[in-house]
Amino acid sequence: MDVLRPTLIRIEGRVYRKNLIQEQTFQHEEEGEDDFCAGPGDCVDEPCDAFVVEETEKGFQCRVEVPSPFYKYIIGKKGETKKRLETETRTSISIPKPGVEGEIVITGQHRSGVISARTRIDVLLDSFRKKQPFTHFLSFALNQPAIQEKFLQFKEEVLEKCSQDPGVSSSLFQNPAKLHLTLGTLVLLNEQEIRKACDLLQRCKEDFVDQIAGGKPLTVEVAGVEYMNDDPAMMDILYAKVHMKDGSDRLQVIADQLMERFVASGLMLKEWDRVKLHATVMNTLFRKDPSGVSEERSNTVAGKSSFKERESFNGRNILKLFENFHFGEVQLDSVRLSQRFSSDASGYYATSGQL
């Protein structure tokens, strides 16, 4: 890491820096347990109103909701991380039993110490959350019958004309029942976080989605194909292009505002300034997952794909022959909070919530 350009971490609308300090090697330390400090000043300089800190008879106390899968990261191997946090901030940190959802309670005699411990826990959790594979994603379903029929025609023609091209096979194609637009991915690790995401989605509907859409479904045209990597001869993902039938940017505006709201809430990581509207039609990840449920964003965080090796395919002829392939029109009437690796009765992803 460049000392002059440290990694910046966003938590609940605030920005922290990840400082490079003297490394200590613990043979049994949990992987990824880095040391953090809030910026631009020291942890103890954190504004007192950043968190809710209660005054008690014995000092001060702060509570933080943490999904149970993260407890082990705060505890560390043999409790080393927890002990280090308590020692350096002069606090006591109470963590629920493994698997029991609840709050981590930080207590101490000094408000600054409690705030420092809370800050460091938040930054640690944010770092570990970024390393988790996503569990849910916001999506527009594109699996209406007419689109599915045209997609199957596209698949048939590609295999008929391009099956001899290196890497091209039937296993690369999306499951037609799962055709969709991905607006953003989320890591939701317990029912409380899922409920929080559903509530936020509903507020977005009330605050701006209905107004932008005019209370009517958006008519979208799916036509043409494109790729996002540099060499079409070594392609991993092929996308169908999506745009509003009336030529407006309303779909893009809704997608961007949804992303901004979810990023601001801490439920989603911001990767791009604008949402790239596209529908995956071919993906080399499907080669090892024929069910078509391995929905992956094209830039999986830190290369954390479940599949270590991907055999790319030569998509030059596909781009040339199907540049303007028309998949059809679709009425978009809801944004869904979709669960990864799942299916509902229609074959689409199970929906936790929608607007």
Side-chain angles (χ1 to χ4, degrees):
M1 178 179 70
D2 190 337
V3 175
L4 297 179
R5 295 181 179 178
T7 301
L8 298 180
I9 301 174
R10 295 177 179 272
I11 301 177
E12 298 181 354
R14 308 185 76 246
V15 179
Y16 301 87
R17 73 167 183 262
K18 177 180 176 181
N19 285 344
L20 180 65
I21 67 173
Q22 182 177 359
E23 296 184 357
Q24 299 181 25
T25 302
F26 298 91
Q27 184 176 358
H28 302 290
E29 195 69 64
E30 191 77 34
E31 180 182 357
E33 289 178 3
D34 302 324
D35 287 291
F36 295 92
C37 186
D42 294 330
C43 292
V44 294
D45 293 332
E46 193 69 30
C48 292
D49 61 352
F51 314 116
V52 177
V53 180
E54 304 170 336
E55 189 169 3
T56 66
E57 295 180 357
K58 298 182 179 180
F60 298 90
Q61 174 179 282
C62 183
R63 298 174 178 272
V64 54
E65 289 189 5
V66 177
S68 58
F70 282 154
Y71 295 165
K72 61 183 180 182
Y73 298 120
I74 305 302
I75 296 171
K77 284 288 186 179
K78 298 183 178 180
E80 288 297 328
T81 302
K82 178 174 176 287
K83 292 176 184 176
R84 188 163 68 246
L85 284 170
E86 290 177 323
T87 299
E88 294 177 359
T89 61
R90 297 182 180 181
T91 59
S92 175
I93 301 173
S94 175
I95 301 175
K97 293 180 180 180
V100 177
E101 298 296 338
E103 296 178 318
I104 288 180
V105 181
I106 306 165
T107 57
Q109 294 184 351
H110 302 286
R111 178 186 291 268
S112 61
V114 171
I115 292 174
S116 177
R118 167 64 192 269
T119 299
R120 294 183 62 176
I121 287 175
D122 278 354
V123 177
L124 278 170
L125 291 174
D126 183 75
S127 175
F128 292 125
R129 184 179 290 276
K130 289 178 179 177
K131 299 176 182 179
Q132 304 300 312
F134 71 90
T135 61
H136 294 73
F137 56 100
L138 295 182
S139 72
F140 280 110
L142 298 178
N143 61 345
Q144 294 185 10
I147 299 289
Q148 291 193 52
E149 183 178 343
K150 290 291 289 185
F151 171 77
L152 290 174
Q153 178 188 335
F154 167 78
K155 176 180 178 180
E156 181 180 349
E157 292 185 10
V158 168
L159 292 176
E160 178 184 341
K161 300 175 182 179
C162 306
S163 61
Q164 300 303 312
D165 293 346
V168 175
S169 71
S170 61
S171 64
L172 299 181
F173 291 84
Q174 173 68 283
N175 179 340
K178 293 183 179 294
L179 289 167
H180 67 277
L181 295 180
T182 298
L183 304 183
T185 58
L186 306 93
V187 176
L188 306 177
L189 298 177
N190 59 22
E191 288 300 320
Q192 291 91 326
E193 293 192 338
I194 294 174
R195 188 162 55 248
K196 181 180 177 182
C198 291
D199 291 344
L200 178 56
L201 196 57
Q202 182 60 36
R203 290 198 301 274
C204 289
K205 171 181 171 62
E206 298 168 357
D207 291 348
F208 62 86
V209 173
D210 283 346
Q211 180 180 356
I212 296 172
K216 300 179 181 179
L218 300 177
T219 303
V220 168
E221 186 174 25
V222 185
V225 292
E226 62 181 342
Y227 68 105
M228 294 185 192
N229 58 316
D230 294 331
D231 187 355
M234 298 184 65
M235 197 178 294
D236 281 322
I237 307 177
L238 184 71
Y239 305 95
K241 299 179 184 180
V242 180
H243 63 269
M244 286 288 296
K245 179 67 174 177
D246 62 9
S248 73
D249 65 347
R250 288 184 296 160
L251 179 60
Q252 185 70 57
V253 171
I254 289 174
D256 290 342
Q257 290 195 24
L258 282 169
M259 178 192 68
E260 292 294 341
R261 283 291 188 92
F262 273 81
V263 168
S265 74
L267 291 171
M268 184 182 292
L269 297 178
K270 185 170 184 177
E271 299 179 83
W272 312 105
D273 290 333
R274 304 186 73 196
V275 175
K276 175 66 176 176
L277 296 173
H278 60 271
T280 299
V281 292
M282 297 176 69
N283 190 334
T284 56
L285 288 178
F286 298 154
R287 207 188 293 276
K288 294 187 178 181
D289 182 15
S291 66
V293 297
S294 66
E295 169 55 33
E296 293 278 352
R297 49 189 161 177
S298 58
N299 59 325
T300 306
V301 173
K304 293 285 184 178
S305 169
S306 302
F307 307 102
K308 299 298 183 182
E309 298 179 2
R310 299 175 66 160
E311 179 191 348
S312 59
F313 64 97
N314 188 330
R316 290 183 183 276
N317 286 330
I318 298 175
L319 288 172
K320 183 188 303 181
L321 297 173
F322 299 93
E323 179 181 6
N324 298 311
F325 187 89
H326 191 263
F327 292 91
E329 297 178 8
V330 60
Q331 301 287 316
L332 303 182
D333 57 5
S334 64
V335 179
R336 308 188 187 194
L337 177 63
S338 302
Q339 182 179 344
R340 192 182 179 197
F341 300 126
S342 68
S343 295
D344 62 15
S346 72
Y348 193 69
Y349 299 93
T351 300
S352 300
Q354 69 181 61
L355 60 82

Short mmCIF file of all heavy atoms in Angstrom, two decimals, residues 179-220:
data_model
loop_
_atom_site.label_atom_id
_atom_site.label_comp_id
_atom_site.label_asym_id
_atom_site.label_seq_id
_atom_site.Cartn_x
_atom_site.Cartn_y
_atom_site.Cartn_z
N LEU A 179 -32.83 -14.53 -16.36
CA LEU A 179 -32.38 -13.33 -17.05
C LEU A 179 -32.78 -12.09 -16.24
O LEU A 179 -33.93 -11.97 -15.80
CB LEU A 179 -33.00 -13.25 -18.45
CG LEU A 179 -32.46 -14.26 -19.47
CD1 LEU A 179 -33.38 -14.30 -20.69
CD2 LEU A 179 -31.04 -13.89 -19.88
N HIS A 180 -31.84 -11.18 -16.07
CA HIS A 180 -32.11 -10.02 -15.21
C HIS A 180 -31.09 -8.91 -15.44
O HIS A 180 -30.05 -9.11 -16.07
CB HIS A 180 -32.06 -10.45 -13.74
CG HIS A 180 -30.69 -10.85 -13.29
ND1 HIS A 180 -30.18 -12.11 -13.51
CD2 HIS A 180 -29.70 -10.16 -12.67
CE1 HIS A 180 -28.96 -12.17 -13.04
NE2 HIS A 180 -28.62 -10.99 -12.53
N LEU A 181 -31.40 -7.76 -14.87
CA LEU A 181 -30.45 -6.65 -14.75
C LEU A 181 -29.99 -6.58 -13.32
O LEU A 181 -30.82 -6.53 -12.41
CB LEU A 181 -31.12 -5.31 -15.10
CG LEU A 181 -31.63 -5.06 -16.51
CD1 LEU A 181 -32.26 -3.68 -16.59
CD2 LEU A 181 -30.49 -5.16 -17.50
N THR A 182 -28.70 -6.57 -13.09
CA THR A 182 -28.17 -6.41 -11.73
C THR A 182 -27.88 -4.93 -11.48
O THR A 182 -27.16 -4.29 -12.24
CB THR A 182 -26.87 -7.22 -11.54
OG1 THR A 182 -27.15 -8.60 -11.73
CG2 THR A 182 -26.32 -7.01 -10.13
N LEU A 183 -28.45 -4.39 -10.40
CA LEU A 183 -28.21 -2.98 -10.05
C LEU A 183 -27.12 -2.83 -9.00
O LEU A 183 -26.51 -1.77 -8.89
CB LEU A 183 -29.51 -2.35 -9.53
CG LEU A 183 -30.72 -2.43 -10.46
CD1 LEU A 183 -31.91 -1.69 -9.85
CD2 LEU A 183 -30.38 -1.87 -11.83
N GLY A 184 -26.88 -3.87 -8.23
CA GLY A 184 -25.84 -3.81 -7.20
C GLY A 184 -25.92 -5.04 -6.32
O GLY A 184 -26.98 -5.67 -6.21
N THR A 185 -24.81 -5.40 -5.70
CA THR A 185 -24.75 -6.59 -4.86
C THR A 185 -24.61 -6.21 -3.39
O THR A 185 -24.07 -5.15 -3.05
CB THR A 185 -23.57 -7.48 -5.27
OG1 THR A 185 -22.34 -6.73 -5.18
CG2 THR A 185 -23.75 -7.98 -6.69
N LEU A 186 -25.11 -7.09 -2.51
CA LEU A 186 -25.10 -6.82 -1.08
C LEU A 186 -24.64 -8.05 -0.31
O LEU A 186 -24.83 -9.18 -0.76
CB LEU A 186 -26.50 -6.44 -0.59
CG LEU A 186 -27.23 -5.29 -1.28
CD1 LEU A 186 -28.12 -5.85 -2.41
CD2 LEU A 186 -28.09 -4.52 -0.30
N VAL A 187 -24.06 -7.80 0.86
CA VAL A 187 -23.73 -8.87 1.80
C VAL A 187 -24.66 -8.70 2.99
O VAL A 187 -24.50 -7.79 3.81
CB VAL A 187 -22.25 -8.79 2.25
CG1 VAL A 187 -21.97 -9.86 3.30
CG2 VAL A 187 -21.32 -8.95 1.06
N LEU A 188 -25.67 -9.56 3.08
CA LEU A 188 -26.65 -9.51 4.16
C LEU A 188 -26.55 -10.81 4.94
O LEU A 188 -26.84 -11.88 4.41
CB LEU A 188 -28.07 -9.33 3.60
CG LEU A 188 -28.27 -8.14 2.65
CD1 LEU A 188 -29.68 -8.12 2.10
CD2 LEU A 188 -27.94 -6.82 3.36
N LEU A 189 -26.13 -10.72 6.20
CA LEU A 189 -25.74 -11.91 6.93
C LEU A 189 -26.71 -12.36 8.01
O LEU A 189 -26.46 -13.35 8.69
CB LEU A 189 -24.35 -11.69 7.55
CG LEU A 189 -23.24 -11.46 6.51
CD1 LEU A 189 -21.92 -11.18 7.20
CD2 LEU A 189 -23.12 -12.66 5.59
N ASN A 190 -27.80 -11.62 8.21
CA ASN A 190 -28.83 -12.09 9.14
C ASN A 190 -30.17 -11.48 8.77
O ASN A 190 -30.26 -10.64 7.87
CB ASN A 190 -28.46 -11.80 10.60
CG ASN A 190 -28.25 -10.30 10.86
OD1 ASN A 190 -28.75 -9.45 10.12
ND2 ASN A 190 -27.52 -9.99 11.92
N GLU A 191 -31.20 -11.90 9.47
CA GLU A 191 -32.55 -11.43 9.15
C GLU A 191 -32.70 -9.93 9.36
O GLU A 191 -33.44 -9.26 8.64
CB GLU A 191 -33.58 -12.18 10.01
CG GLU A 191 -33.77 -13.63 9.61
CD GLU A 191 -34.25 -13.77 8.17
OE1 GLU A 191 -35.09 -12.97 7.74
OE2 GLU A 191 -33.77 -14.69 7.49
N GLN A 192 -31.99 -9.38 10.35
CA GLN A 192 -32.07 -7.93 10.61
C GLN A 192 -31.54 -7.14 9.41
O GLN A 192 -32.13 -6.13 9.03
CB GLN A 192 -31.27 -7.57 11.87
CG GLN A 192 -31.90 -8.07 13.16
CD GLN A 192 -31.39 -9.44 13.56
OE1 GLN A 192 -31.09 -10.28 12.70
NE2 GLN A 192 -31.31 -9.69 14.87
N GLU A 193 -30.45 -7.59 8.83
CA GLU A 193 -29.89 -6.89 7.68
C GLU A 193 -30.79 -7.03 6.45
O GLU A 193 -30.93 -6.07 5.67
CB GLU A 193 -28.48 -7.40 7.38
CG GLU A 193 -27.47 -7.05 8.45
CD GLU A 193 -26.03 -7.29 8.04
OE1 GLU A 193 -25.81 -8.10 7.11
OE2 GLU A 193 -25.14 -6.66 8.62
N ILE A 194 -31.39 -8.19 6.27
CA ILE A 194 -32.32 -8.38 5.16
C ILE A 194 -33.52 -7.46 5.34
O ILE A 194 -33.98 -6.81 4.38
CB ILE A 194 -32.77 -9.85 5.07
CG1 ILE A 194 -31.58 -10.75 4.69
CG2 ILE A 194 -33.91 -10.01 4.06
CD1 ILE A 194 -31.89 -12.23 4.72
N ARG A 195 -34.02 -7.37 6.55
CA ARG A 195 -35.17 -6.50 6.83
C ARG A 195 -34.81 -5.03 6.60
O ARG A 195 -35.60 -4.25 6.06
CB ARG A 195 -35.66 -6.72 8.26
CG ARG A 195 -36.96 -6.00 8.58
CD ARG A 195 -37.63 -6.58 9.82
NE ARG A 195 -36.74 -6.59 10.97
CZ ARG A 195 -36.25 -7.69 11.53
NH1 ARG A 195 -36.55 -8.88 11.00
NH2 ARG A 195 -35.46 -7.64 12.57
N LYS A 196 -33.60 -4.67 7.00
CA LYS A 196 -33.14 -3.30 6.79
C LYS A 196 -33.09 -2.96 5.30
O LYS A 196 -33.51 -1.88 4.88
CB LYS A 196 -31.75 -3.11 7.41
CG LYS A 196 -31.18 -1.70 7.27
CD LYS A 196 -29.80 -1.61 7.92
CE LYS A 196 -29.20 -0.22 7.73
NZ LYS A 196 -27.83 -0.14 8.32
N ALA A 197 -32.61 -3.91 4.50
CA ALA A 197 -32.54 -3.69 3.05
C ALA A 197 -33.94 -3.59 2.45
O ALA A 197 -34.19 -2.75 1.57
CB ALA A 197 -31.75 -4.83 2.39
N CYS A 198 -34.86 -4.43 2.91
CA CYS A 198 -36.24 -4.39 2.41
C CYS A 198 -36.90 -3.06 2.76
O CYS A 198 -37.61 -2.47 1.94
CB CYS A 198 -37.05 -5.55 2.98
SG CYS A 198 -36.58 -7.18 2.36
N ASP A 199 -36.68 -2.60 3.98
CA ASP A 199 -37.26 -1.32 4.42
C ASP A 199 -36.71 -0.17 3.59
O ASP A 199 -37.45 0.74 3.21
CB ASP A 199 -36.98 -1.08 5.90
CG ASP A 199 -37.73 -2.05 6.81
OD1 ASP A 199 -38.69 -2.68 6.31
OD2 ASP A 199 -37.36 -2.18 7.99
N LEU A 200 -35.41 -0.21 3.32
CA LEU A 200 -34.80 0.85 2.52
C LEU A 200 -35.35 0.84 1.10
O LEU A 200 -35.60 1.89 0.50
CB LEU A 200 -33.28 0.69 2.50
CG LEU A 200 -32.50 1.71 1.66
CD1 LEU A 200 -32.81 3.13 2.11
CD2 LEU A 200 -30.99 1.44 1.77
N LEU A 201 -35.55 -0.35 0.55
CA LEU A 201 -36.10 -0.47 -0.79
C LEU A 201 -37.50 0.15 -0.86
O LEU A 201 -37.83 0.86 -1.81
CB LEU A 201 -36.16 -1.94 -1.20
CG LEU A 201 -36.35 -2.26 -2.68
CD1 LEU A 201 -35.26 -1.63 -3.53
CD2 LEU A 201 -36.37 -3.78 -2.88
N GLN A 202 -38.30 -0.08 0.17
CA GLN A 202 -39.63 0.50 0.21
C GLN A 202 -39.58 2.02 0.31
O GLN A 202 -40.36 2.73 -0.33
CB GLN A 202 -40.41 -0.08 1.39
CG GLN A 202 -41.85 0.42 1.50
CD GLN A 202 -42.68 0.09 0.28
OE1 GLN A 202 -42.52 -0.98 -0.32
NE2 GLN A 202 -43.56 1.00 -0.11
N ARG A 203 -38.64 2.54 1.11
CA ARG A 203 -38.50 4.00 1.23
C ARG A 203 -38.07 4.62 -0.10
O ARG A 203 -38.50 5.72 -0.46
CB ARG A 203 -37.49 4.36 2.33
CG ARG A 203 -37.98 4.07 3.73
CD ARG A 203 -37.18 4.82 4.78
NE ARG A 203 -35.76 4.49 4.74
CZ ARG A 203 -35.24 3.46 5.39
NH1 ARG A 203 -36.01 2.65 6.10
NH2 ARG A 203 -33.94 3.23 5.33
N CYS A 204 -37.22 3.90 -0.84
CA CYS A 204 -36.80 4.40 -2.15
C CYS A 204 -38.00 4.50 -3.10
O CYS A 204 -38.11 5.46 -3.87
CB CYS A 204 -35.75 3.47 -2.76
SG CYS A 204 -34.13 3.55 -1.95
N LYS A 205 -38.89 3.52 -3.03
CA LYS A 205 -40.09 3.55 -3.85
C LYS A 205 -40.91 4.80 -3.55
O LYS A 205 -41.35 5.52 -4.46
CB LYS A 205 -40.93 2.30 -3.58
CG LYS A 205 -42.32 2.32 -4.22
CD LYS A 205 -43.08 1.06 -3.87
CE LYS A 205 -44.54 1.14 -4.30
NZ LYS A 205 -44.70 1.29 -5.75
N GLU A 206 -41.07 5.08 -2.27
CA GLU A 206 -41.88 6.23 -1.86
C GLU A 206 -41.20 7.55 -2.15
O GLU A 206 -41.85 8.54 -2.50
CB GLU A 206 -42.19 6.11 -0.36
CG GLU A 206 -43.02 4.87 -0.01
CD GLU A 206 -43.06 4.61 1.49
OE1 GLU A 206 -42.40 5.39 2.24
OE2 GLU A 206 -43.74 3.66 1.91
N ASP A 207 -39.87 7.58 -2.00
CA ASP A 207 -39.14 8.85 -2.12
C ASP A 207 -38.91 9.29 -3.56
O ASP A 207 -38.95 10.48 -3.87
CB ASP A 207 -37.79 8.75 -1.40
CG ASP A 207 -37.94 8.66 0.12
OD1 ASP A 207 -39.05 8.91 0.60
OD2 ASP A 207 -36.94 8.34 0.79
N PHE A 208 -38.61 8.32 -4.45
CA PHE A 208 -38.27 8.77 -5.82
C PHE A 208 -38.63 7.81 -6.95
O PHE A 208 -38.85 8.24 -8.07
CB PHE A 208 -36.78 9.11 -5.91
CG PHE A 208 -35.85 7.94 -5.65
CD1 PHE A 208 -35.49 7.07 -6.68
CD2 PHE A 208 -35.32 7.73 -4.39
CE1 PHE A 208 -34.63 6.01 -6.45
CE2 PHE A 208 -34.46 6.67 -4.14
CZ PHE A 208 -34.10 5.80 -5.18
N VAL A 209 -38.72 6.51 -6.71
CA VAL A 209 -38.93 5.58 -7.81
C VAL A 209 -40.28 5.81 -8.49
O VAL A 209 -40.37 5.91 -9.72
CB VAL A 209 -38.82 4.12 -7.34
CG1 VAL A 209 -39.21 3.15 -8.46
CG2 VAL A 209 -37.40 3.81 -6.89
N ASP A 210 -41.35 5.90 -7.70
CA ASP A 210 -42.68 6.10 -8.28
C ASP A 210 -42.76 7.40 -9.07
O ASP A 210 -43.38 7.46 -10.14
CB ASP A 210 -43.73 6.10 -7.18
CG ASP A 210 -44.06 4.69 -6.68
OD1 ASP A 210 -43.67 3.73 -7.36
OD2 ASP A 210 -44.68 4.56 -5.61
N GLN A 211 -42.12 8.42 -8.54
CA GLN A 211 -42.15 9.73 -9.21
C GLN A 211 -41.43 9.67 -10.56
O GLN A 211 -41.93 10.16 -11.57
CB GLN A 211 -41.53 10.80 -8.33
CG GLN A 211 -41.53 12.19 -8.96
CD GLN A 211 -40.90 13.24 -8.06
OE1 GLN A 211 -40.52 12.95 -6.93
NE2 GLN A 211 -40.76 14.44 -8.56
N ILE A 212 -40.24 9.08 -10.57
CA ILE A 212 -39.46 9.00 -11.82
C ILE A 212 -40.17 8.12 -12.85
O ILE A 212 -40.23 8.44 -14.04
CB ILE A 212 -38.05 8.47 -11.54
CG1 ILE A 212 -37.28 9.44 -10.64
CG2 ILE A 212 -37.28 8.26 -12.85
CD1 ILE A 212 -35.94 8.91 -10.16
N ALA A 213 -40.74 7.01 -12.38
CA ALA A 213 -41.41 6.08 -13.30
C ALA A 213 -42.79 6.57 -13.70
O ALA A 213 -43.39 6.02 -14.64
CB ALA A 213 -41.52 4.70 -12.66
N GLY A 214 -43.30 7.59 -13.03
CA GLY A 214 -44.63 8.09 -13.35
C GLY A 214 -45.73 7.14 -12.94
O GLY A 214 -46.85 7.21 -13.48
N GLY A 215 -45.43 6.23 -12.01
CA GLY A 215 -46.44 5.28 -11.56
C GLY A 215 -46.76 4.20 -12.56
O GLY A 215 -47.74 3.46 -12.39
N LYS A 216 -45.97 4.06 -13.61
CA LYS A 216 -46.21 3.07 -14.65
C LYS A 216 -44.97 2.21 -14.87
O LYS A 216 -43.85 2.66 -14.60
CB LYS A 216 -46.60 3.75 -15.97
CG LYS A 216 -47.86 4.60 -15.90
CD LYS A 216 -48.13 5.26 -17.24
CE LYS A 216 -49.37 6.14 -17.19
NZ LYS A 216 -49.62 6.80 -18.50
N PRO A 217 -45.15 0.99 -15.40
CA PRO A 217 -43.99 0.17 -15.74
C PRO A 217 -43.12 0.85 -16.79
O PRO A 217 -43.62 1.62 -17.61
CB PRO A 217 -44.61 -1.12 -16.29
CG PRO A 217 -45.99 -1.15 -15.73
CD PRO A 217 -46.43 0.28 -15.66
N LEU A 218 -41.83 0.57 -16.74
CA LEU A 218 -40.90 1.12 -17.73
C LEU A 218 -40.76 0.14 -18.89
O LEU A 218 -40.46 -1.04 -18.68
CB LEU A 218 -39.53 1.36 -17.09
CG LEU A 218 -39.49 2.33 -15.90
CD1 LEU A 218 -38.07 2.39 -15.34
CD2 LEU A 218 -39.97 3.71 -16.31
N THR A 219 -40.99 0.63 -20.11
CA THR A 219 -40.84 -0.23 -21.29
C THR A 219 -39.38 -0.20 -21.73
O THR A 219 -38.84 0.84 -22.09
CB THR A 219 -41.73 0.24 -22.44
OG1 THR A 219 -43.09 0.26 -22.01
CG2 THR A 219 -41.60 -0.69 -23.63
N VAL A 220 -38.74 -1.37 -21.68
CA VAL A 220 -37.31 -1.48 -21.96
C VAL A 220 -37.09 -2.38 -23.17
O VAL A 220 -37.78 -3.39 -23.34
CB VAL A 220 -36.58 -2.05 -20.72
CG1 VAL A 220 -35.16 -2.45 -21.06
CG2 VAL A 220 -36.57 -1.03 -19.59
#
